[in-house]
Amino acid sequence: MNDLLRRRFDARAVADEVAAMQRALIDRGCVVMSFTIPDIAHRLAPPGIAGALSRRTRALSEALRRASASTGAILLDLAAHPLAVDPRMWSADRLQVGRAHV
């Protein structure tokens, strides 16, 4: 999440780093699980920033999907599940997954 907020965010560069870590672990016999990030920009950011943050989130999720597909890592695609953006799943700071009150 922090990378999404950086001025010079690059989804492909982040995903390339993730893929390198995944490959290194898989090459050593590990089972690797990764995940996409749900788009919560509309809950997190002011309207002027929400659109850009949403585009970055979608770009990162797509890049992580490609990275995991190329390495064979298991991918939990949280971005594809509506429940992942339910406000009850997030803590008060809206940055951390909290205890669900469903």
Side-chain angles (χ1 to χ4, degrees):
M1 183 62 87
N2 291 336
D3 286 326
L4 292 172
L5 302 174
R6 295 182 195 275
R7 174 182 257 183
R8 292 193 170 116
F9 170 74
D10 182 343
R12 180 175 289 166
V14 173
D16 287 348
E17 290 177 17
V18 169
M21 289 184 278
Q22 290 174 345
R23 276 190 208 93
L25 292 166
I26 290 169
D27 288 349
R28 288 166 180 75
C30 297
V31 174
V32 176
M33 184 171 184
S34 188
F35 58 92
T36 58
I37 298 172
D39 183 2
I40 61 164
H42 60 285
R43 299 189 196 290
L44 174 67
I49 299 171
L53 186 57
S54 184
R55 285 188 296 279
R56 287 178 171 199
T57 302
R58 289 191 311 270
L60 180 58
S61 288
E62 186 54 39
L64 291 171
R65 288 180 188 108
R66 285 192 303 271
S68 293
S70 74
T71 65
I74 298 165
L75 182 73
L76 175 57
D77 198 349
L78 292 173
H81 297 284
L83 182 60
V85 297
D86 187 314
R88 295 171 295 178
M89 299 296 290
W90 295 84
S91 60
D93 69 4
R94 298 175 296 184
L95 292 173
Q96 311 296 324
V97 176
R99 189 177 68 167
H101 300 283
V102 181

